[in-house]
């Protein structure tokens, strides 16, 4: 959501357009109805964007009854140019809607649009006071120092990856099959190639093995930044025994009724403030957390190599030899402590 919001601001500035506070697509975010104001401080956002773009909470009365003209900005359309492809529709219809295309290269934005994008990403988006209070209480409750681990091994993610795993519990296999639908897993040689390209999520057990290869002590305090439905967690907790979650640290009635969006916001807040951050994936949250940690001067950020793990295990490495090889794969990033994600812009000019 943060990524799309930042992109939306950048595009609005490119088009010299007014931005109406965006609505979240229900199907895209945990099939729920939480909105911008449930997660982010609306008035603060509008105030901080003043001078960059105009933001309004509601549509002007003269067009409020109209449906917006939807512009298709599919990410599969190649190098998308908003001025060329979207501005004519805006000028004609005055009120348009679109989802920003991920293929637009922000490094080609003019300086004024990049400044607006930067301001939105790093200065204008903060959690609501209520949500920030919950996040602050959660951060305070975690034993220090601690490592925040973003672990991704949910049924829908495994199903989407089209990967197969051996030695999973019957319950996990059943959950994956239920989420798979028409997306069948790769088999045979294609499955091997797919896994060696780093396309398969790391299991909790594989994650624990890599952490051990990096000589991270098994008594390390670990905050598990993960959504509901995480599978095979005992593969991690049987090795790393000091694992803490939102539900174990923040079990009030108000917490159990929170939306998935707001729970994810807690993970984000804790992760950008943790002593170390390790991710088993390289998704949108991981990139944003790495960017914010770099901006805050917190360099201990690492992305585990799914490709490295797959290639080494496919070569038959086991035991001490595998641990040594995993250390070598991660050594440079681990020593540098910055991972491989950099923000699109660090606002090197005055905003």
């Amino acid at each position: 959501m943060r990524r799309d919001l930042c992109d939306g601001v950048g595009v609005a500035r490119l088009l010299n357009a007014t931005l109406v506070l965006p609505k979240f697509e229900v199907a895209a975010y945990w099939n729920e109805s939480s909105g911008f104001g449930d997660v982010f401080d609306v008035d603060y956002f509008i105030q901080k964007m003043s001078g960059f773009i105009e933001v309004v909470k509601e549509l002007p009365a003269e067009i409020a009854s109209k449906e917006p003209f939807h512009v298709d900005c599919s990410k599969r359309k190649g190098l998308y140019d908003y001025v060329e492809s979207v501005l004519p529709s805006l000028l004609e219809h005055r009120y348009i809607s679109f989802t920003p295309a991920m293929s637009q290269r922000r490094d080609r934005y003019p300086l004024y649009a990049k400044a607006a994008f930067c301001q939105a990403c790093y200065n204008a988006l903060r959690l609501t006071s209520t949500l920030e209070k919950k996040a602050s209480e959660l951060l305070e409750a975690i034993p220090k120092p601690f490592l925040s681990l973003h672990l991704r091994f949910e049924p829908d993610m495994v199903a989407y990856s089209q990967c197969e795993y051996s030695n999973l519990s019957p319950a996990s296999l059943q959950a994956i099959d239920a989420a798979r639908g028409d997306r069948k897993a790769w088999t045979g040689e294609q499955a091997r190639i797919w896994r060696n390209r780093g396309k398969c999520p790391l299991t909790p057990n594989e994650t624990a093995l890599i952490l051990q290869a990096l000589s991270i002590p098994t008594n390390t305090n670990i905050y598990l930044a993960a959504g509901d439905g995480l599978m095979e967690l005992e593969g991690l907790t049987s090795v790393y025994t000091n694992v803490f979650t939102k539900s174990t640290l923040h079990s009030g009635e108000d917490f159990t009724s929170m939306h998935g969006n707001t729970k994810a916001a807690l993970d984000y807040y804790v992760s950008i403030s943790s002593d170390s951050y390790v991710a088993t994936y390289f998704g949108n949250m991981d990139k944003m957390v790495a960017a914010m940690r770099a901006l805050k001067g917190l360099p201990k950020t690492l992305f585990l190599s799914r490709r490295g793990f797959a290639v080494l295990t496919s070569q038959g490495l086991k035991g001490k030899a595998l641990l040594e090889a995993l250390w070598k794969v991660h050594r440079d990033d681990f020593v540098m402590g910055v991972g491989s994600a950099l923000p699109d812009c660090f606002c090197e000019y005055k905003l």
Side-chain angles (χ1 to χ4, degrees):
M1 291 190 302
R2 287 186 68 100
R3 184 208 68 199
D4 283 351
L5 287 166
C6 296
D7 280 337
V9 165
V11 175
R13 184 65 186 92
L14 275 175
L15 304 180
N16 195 28
T18 296
L19 179 71
V20 182
L21 281 182
K23 296 181 179 180
F24 301 147
E25 294 181 7
V26 172
Y29 301 110
W30 295 290
N31 195 28
E32 61 181 49
S33 57
S34 59
F36 185 98
D38 295 311
V39 180
F40 300 110
D41 186 328
V42 172
D43 292 331
Y44 183 82
F45 177 72
I46 294 175
Q47 173 196 339
K48 285 294 184 178
M49 292 315 305
S50 177
F52 293 91
I53 63 168
E54 183 178 358
V55 181
V56 296
K57 296 180 181 180
E58 303 289 346
L59 286 168
E62 64 269 20
I63 59 173
S65 61
K66 299 179 181 179
E67 284 294 318
F69 179 82
H70 182 72
V71 181
D72 182 12
C73 297
S74 170
K75 66 181 180 181
R76 303 189 186 280
K77 288 181 180 279
L79 185 59
Y80 205 90
D81 190 298
Y82 291 102
V83 174
E84 178 182 316
S85 304
V86 179
L87 184 56
S89 295
L90 177 63
L91 294 175
E92 178 182 354
H93 299 280
R94 296 183 60 208
Y95 171 35
I96 64 173
S97 69
F98 62 89
T99 300
M102 292 172 63
S103 57
Q104 176 75 48
R105 288 187 55 182
R106 304 184 195 100
D107 60 344
R108 296 188 179 183
Y109 279 9
L111 195 59
Y112 60 82
K114 190 177 288 187
F117 171 84
C118 241
Q119 176 73 356
C121 268
Y122 301 117
N123 294 326
L125 285 171
R126 75 178 183 188
L127 302 181
T128 65
S129 58
T130 300
L131 194 52
E132 186 161 314
K133 182 175 182 293
K134 290 181 186 295
S136 180
E137 291 172 351
L138 178 59
L139 179 62
E140 185 66 26
I142 302 171
K144 312 295 188 301
F146 75 97
L147 179 154
S148 179
L149 175 65
H150 191 207
L151 184 57
R152 300 297 312 276
F153 201 69
E154 302 92 350
D156 57 341
M157 185 182 190
V158 176
Y160 184 81
S161 73
Q162 296 182 268
C163 297
E164 280 195 322
Y165 294 82
S166 58
N167 301 322
L168 297 186
S169 68
S172 295
L173 293 174
Q174 184 176 0
I176 294 169
D177 285 340
R180 202 179 293 280
D182 295 331
R183 192 180 294 272
K184 303 302 180 184
W186 296 112
T187 57
E189 180 65 9
Q190 187 61 49
R192 186 191 67 81
I193 294 172
W194 191 248
R195 182 173 292 276
N196 283 355
R197 286 175 59 190
K199 298 297 185 180
C200 298
L202 292 169
T203 69
N205 180 268
E206 293 167 347
T207 300
L209 186 63
I210 299 177
L211 295 181
Q212 288 178 284
L214 298 176
S215 298
I216 295 176
T218 56
N219 65 347
T220 299
N221 295 319
I222 295 178
Y223 172 76
L224 194 60
D228 299 329
L230 191 64
M231 302 181 297
E232 306 290 316
L233 185 55
E234 63 277 2
L236 173 72
T237 56
S238 62
V239 179
Y240 286 86
T241 54
N242 294 336
V243 176
F244 304 90
T245 65
K246 296 183 291 295
S247 58
T248 58
L249 294 169
H250 209 327
S251 57
E253 185 176 334
D254 57 340
F255 173 75
T256 57
S257 62
M258 290 174 68
H259 290 292
N261 287 337
T262 46
K263 288 182 180 179
L266 298 182
D267 284 341
Y268 169 81
Y269 183 96
V270 169
S271 294
I272 64 174
S273 305
S274 60
D275 298 286
S276 303
Y277 179 74
V278 174
T280 64
Y281 199 65
F282 192 50
N284 293 318
M285 174 170 165
D286 306 307
K287 294 172 185 175
M288 184 64 73
V289 167
M292 296 303 294
R293 287 178 60 82
L295 192 68
K296 294 175 66 172
L298 298 171
K300 294 183 180 179
T301 303
L302 181 69
F303 298 99
L304 303 187
S305 175
R306 291 170 292 161
R307 182 178 183 275
F309 182 86
V311 170
L312 292 173
T313 51
S314 71
Q315 294 171 353
L317 292 180
K318 296 179 180 179
K320 185 177 180 181
L322 176 58
L323 293 177
E324 290 177 350
L326 286 169
W327 161 245
K328 291 177 181 178
V329 165
H330 293 88
R331 178 173 53 200
D332 290 344
D333 281 347
F334 185 70
V335 171
M336 291 169 59
V338 295
S340 55
L342 291 175
D344 292 291
C345 130
F346 271 125
C347 305
E348 294 176 353
Y349 39 82
K350 290 185 178 180
L351 298 177

